[in-house]
C-alpha cells in the first residue's frame, strides 16, 4: 500500500504503486487477455505466486486490475482487495469459501443476497440462518451450532437498519466465527468495518464506488491471509473484473471522498425537509436524531450516506402516484450515482417476498427509497414537495 499514512483523498489518487512504462499519470487499460515472458523461469515465478505480475486477465493478473485493487485497499486501509465483475460475484466467492460450515445473515439484506444465500447456495449445501434485528438473542445459538460466518449490511437496504459492528464481531469471535460486512451503503468514506472489528468487507462497487451508474463491479477486502484464498474461487468462477471496467472504476475512486461527502450533505437536507413535511409519516435516515439507530450510527460512521427512505402518509396507490410524479428522481432500481433515483421496495428489492415476509421486515406499500444524488438539494426537496401534493392534506 502506498502512502499508508496519508489522508483518504490522497490515497484515492495516489494509492497505487503500479507504474506505466511511458509515465502515464494513471494506469491505462491493458486490454489484453495474456502477457508474454522472457523465459519459462519468469513465467513460473508469476504462475507460482513468487512474483506478483501480469499473466492472464481472467486470473485478475493484469496491471489495470492491480492498480485498482491497490488503490481500493489503500482507501480502505487494509492489505488486500480483490476486484470482481459484480457485487454478487464478490459475495459468491466470499460465501463459497467462508460459508461452508454455515452462515448467519443478520438483519435485512439486499434481495439478491437473500436469493443467493436462501436458494442457490442452499442447493449446494451451504446453509444460512436468517436472523432479523429482533432475533439477535438467537445468534449465539447459531454460532454454538457451528456457523463460522456472520454476514450483515449496515446500514441495511432499504430501511437503513444499523447494526453494532464491534459488538457483533466480539460475539462472533468468541465462537471462532468470521465477520463479513457488506459496506455498500456506507462506502469506506463513511464507515470502515475492518477498523471496528470485522474480518472482511464486501462491496457492490456498482453503487458509490463507481458513483455514476455506469460500472458493475464488486470487492472483497481484508488482510492478505483472509482475502488470498478467495483468489482461487474468483479464478475458477471466472468472476474477475474486466480491465475496461477496472480503469473506469479507478477513475471513479479518485473522486470518491468528495462525492460521498456531498451525498451525505444532500441526504441530510432532504431527510430533514421530509421529516418536517406532514404528508410524510416516517423518515428513515441514520443522520436524524429521531432515527432508532442514530446513536450506534453516530458511534461507528463518520457520515450517514446518501439513501433516505420515507413512508408517505397515504395508501399504496397514492404512494405510486407520488413516485410517478417525481421529475428529477428517475424511477430506477439502484443507488449511489450522481443522479437521484427512486424506487419502491415492494416493486423492486422486496418484490419476490410474500406479504407476510414483507410485513415481518417492515416493508410497506407506502415506503419509498430515495438515492440522493449530487443535484442541488433545494431542487430535490422542491421536486419531492410537488410530488407529495397528490397526498392532499
Ligand atoms: N449489496 C448491496 C447492499 C446491494 O444494494 C447490491 C445491489 O443492489 C449488491 C450487494 C449486489 O451488487 P451488484 O448489483 O453489483 O451485483
Amino acid at each position: 500500500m502506498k502512502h499508508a499514512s496519508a489522508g483518504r483523498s490522497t490515497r484515492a489518487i495516489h494509492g497505487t504503486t503500479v507504474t506505466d512504462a511511458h509515465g502515464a499519470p494513471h494506469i491505462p487499460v491493458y486490454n489484453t487477455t495474456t502477457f508474454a515472458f522472457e523465459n519459462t523461469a519468469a513465467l513460473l515465478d508469476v504462475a507460482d505466486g513468487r512474483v506478483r505480475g501480469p499473466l492472464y486477465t481472467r486470473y485478475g493478473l493484469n496491471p489495470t486490475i492491480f492498480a485498482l485493487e491497490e488503490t481500493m485497499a489503500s482507501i480502505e486501509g487494509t492489505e488486500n482487495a480483490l476486484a470482481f465483475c459484480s457485487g454478487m460475484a464478490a459475495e459468491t466467492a466470499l460465501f463459497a469459501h467462508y460459508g461452508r460450515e454455515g452462515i448467519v445473515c443478520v438483519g435485512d439484506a439486499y434481495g439478491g443476497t437473500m436469493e443467493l444465500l436462501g436458494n442457490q447456495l442452499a442447493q449446494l449445501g451451504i446453509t444460512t440462518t436468517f436472523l432479523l434485528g429482533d432475533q439477535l438473542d438467537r445468534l449465539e445459538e447459531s454460532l454454538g451450532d457451528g456457523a463460522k460466518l456472520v454476514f450483515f449490511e449496515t446500514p441495511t437496504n432499504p430501511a437503513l437498519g444499523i447494526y453494532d459492528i464491534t459488538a457483533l464481531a466480539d460475539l462472533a469471535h468468541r465462537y471462532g466465527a468470521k465477520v463479513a460486512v457488506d459496506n455498500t451503503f456506507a462506502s469506506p468514506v463513511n464507515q470502515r468495518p475492518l477498523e471496528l472489528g470485522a474480518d472482511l468487507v464486501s462491496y457492490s462497487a456498482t453503487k458509490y464506488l463507481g458513483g455514476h451508474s455506469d460500472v458493475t463491479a464488486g470487492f472483497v477486502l481484508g488482510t492478505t491471509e483472509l482475502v488470498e484464498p478467495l483468489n482461487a474461487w474468483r479464478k475458477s468462477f471466472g468472476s474477475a473484473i474486466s480491465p475496461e471496467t477496472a480503469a473506469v472504476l479507478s477513475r471513479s475512486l479518485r473522486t470518491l471522498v468528495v462525492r460521498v461527502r456531498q451525498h451525505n450533505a444532500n441526504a441530510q437536507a432532504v431527510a430533514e425537509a421530509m421529516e418536517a413535511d406532514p404528508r410524510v409519516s416516517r423518515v428513515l435516515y441514520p443522520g436524524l436524531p429521531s432515527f432508532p439507530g442514530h446513536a450506534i450510527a453516530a458511534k461507528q460512521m463518520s457520515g450517514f450516506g446518501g439513501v433516505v427512505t420515507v413512508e408517505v402518509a397515504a395508501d399504496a396507490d397514492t404512494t405510486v402516484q407520488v413516485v410517478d410524479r417525481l421529475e428529477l428522481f428517475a424511477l430506477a432500481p439502484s443507488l449511489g450515482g450522481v443522479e437521484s433515483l427512486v424506487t419502491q421496495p415492494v416493486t423492486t428489492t422486496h418484490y419476490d417476498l410474500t406479504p407476510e415476509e414483507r410485513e415481518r421486515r417492515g416493508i410497506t406499500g407506502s415506503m419509498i427509497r430515495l438515492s440522493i444524488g449530487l443535484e442541488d438539494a433545494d431542487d430535490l426537496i422542491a421536486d419531492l414537495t410537488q410530488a407529495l401534493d397528490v397526498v392532499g392534506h
Side-chain angles (χ1 to χ4, degrees):
M1 188 200 309
K2 199 174 162 191
H3 301 293
S5 62
R8 229 152 285 278
S9 298
T10 306
R11 289 193 242 162
I13 295 166
H14 299 286
T16 178
T17 54
V18 181
T19 51
D20 170 66
H22 304 288
H26 304 299
I27 297 308
V29 185
Y30 280 88
N31 195 5
T32 53
T33 54
T34 191
F35 296 85
F37 291 83
E38 282 291 306
N39 52 45
T40 302
L43 184 150
L44 289 177
D45 275 346
V46 175
D48 294 341
R50 287 184 291 279
V51 172
R52 181 167 153 92
L55 176 64
Y56 189 62
T57 292
R58 175 174 53 82
Y59 298 178
L61 300 179
N62 174 298
T64 313
I65 300 175
F66 289 155
L68 170 71
E69 290 176 336
E70 268 196 52
T71 303
M72 186 62 195
S74 181
I75 294 171
E76 191 77 39
T78 190
E79 286 174 359
N80 215 315
L82 275 190
F84 291 82
C85 62
S86 69
M88 292 308 301
E91 288 183 22
T92 302
L94 172 71
F95 297 144
H97 189 74
Y98 285 107
R100 284 169 291 175
E101 289 157 278
I103 301 170
V104 186
C105 177
V106 173
D108 220 347
Y110 166 60
T113 303
M114 290 196 284
E115 166 80 9
L116 172 68
L117 290 169
N119 194 348
Q120 288 83 37
L121 292 181
Q123 292 180 46
L124 299 178
I126 295 179
T127 56
T128 301
T129 305
F130 294 94
L131 297 180
L132 288 184
D134 56 0
Q135 300 173 309
L136 279 185
D137 49 330
R138 284 179 43 205
L139 179 55
E140 286 206 64
E141 193 182 305
S142 301
L143 291 168
D145 288 344
K148 285 284 173 271
L149 181 67
V150 175
F151 174 83
F152 57 95
E153 297 177 11
T154 182
T156 63
N157 186 3
L160 288 317
I162 302 292
Y163 289 90
D164 188 326
I165 298 173
T166 305
L168 286 173
D170 284 351
L171 180 61
H173 290 160
R174 263 189 266 141
Y175 287 85
K178 301 263 184 292
V179 172
V181 175
D182 179 336
N183 204 34
T184 299
F185 268 49
S187 92
V189 179
N190 287 333
Q191 177 172 270
R192 283 177 300 284
L194 301 173
E195 292 170 11
L196 295 162
D199 302 286
L200 292 149
V201 60
S202 67
Y203 288 99
S204 167
T206 314
K207 316 301 180 195
Y208 291 100
L209 303 179
H212 298 72
S213 306
D214 57 2
V215 159
T216 299
F219 283 107
V220 178
L221 295 107
T223 59
T224 297
E225 185 191 350
L226 292 185
V227 171
E228 196 51 37
L230 303 186
N231 228 329
W233 294 97
R234 182 179 73 166
K235 183 176 162 188
S236 298
F237 285 157
S239 57
I241 196 170
S242 75
E244 293 88 342
T245 308
V248 176
L249 189 48
S250 283
R251 191 176 60 181
S252 290
L253 289 183
R254 285 171 212 138
T255 57
L256 177 69
V257 177
V258 282
R259 282 189 288 106
V260 169
R261 283 189 191 142
Q262 194 59 41
H263 280 294
N264 293 342
N266 281 5
Q268 186 75 34
V270 168
E272 286 172 10
M274 291 297 98
E275 194 168 45
D277 194 314
R279 299 161 305 173
V280 170
S281 54
R282 203 156 66 115
V283 181
L284 304 173
Y285 184 65
L288 291 176
S290 60
F291 183 67
H294 176 70
I296 298 172
K299 191 181 70 169
Q300 67 189 16
M301 302 178 81
S302 54
F304 300 110
V307 178
V308 178
T309 297
V310 298
E311 228 160 20
V312 178
D315 59 17
D317 290 342
T318 310
T319 304
V320 169
Q321 289 177 45
V322 173
V323 168
D324 289 347
R325 261 176 80 114
L326 285 166
E327 288 169 5
L328 278 179
F329 288 81
L331 177 56
S334 192
L335 59 109
V338 294
E339 63 289 293
S340 291
L341 303 178
V342 58
T343 53
Q344 278 197 272
V346 285
T347 55
T348 52
T349 51
H350 292 67
Y351 186 63
D352 291 334
L353 297 187
T354 61
E356 296 73 36
E357 187 57 26
R358 277 189 211 146
E359 197 182 321
R360 213 165 79 82
R361 291 173 181 271
I363 311 293
T364 67
S366 305
M367 198 176 248
I368 297 178
R369 190 189 77 184
L370 302 167
S371 170
I372 305 299
L374 301 185
E375 301 92 341
D376 292 294
D378 286 348
D379 294 334
L380 297 175
I381 293 166
D383 193 25
L384 286 160
T385 305
Q386 69 75 23
L388 284 164
D389 284 346
V390 293
V391 176
H393 58 79

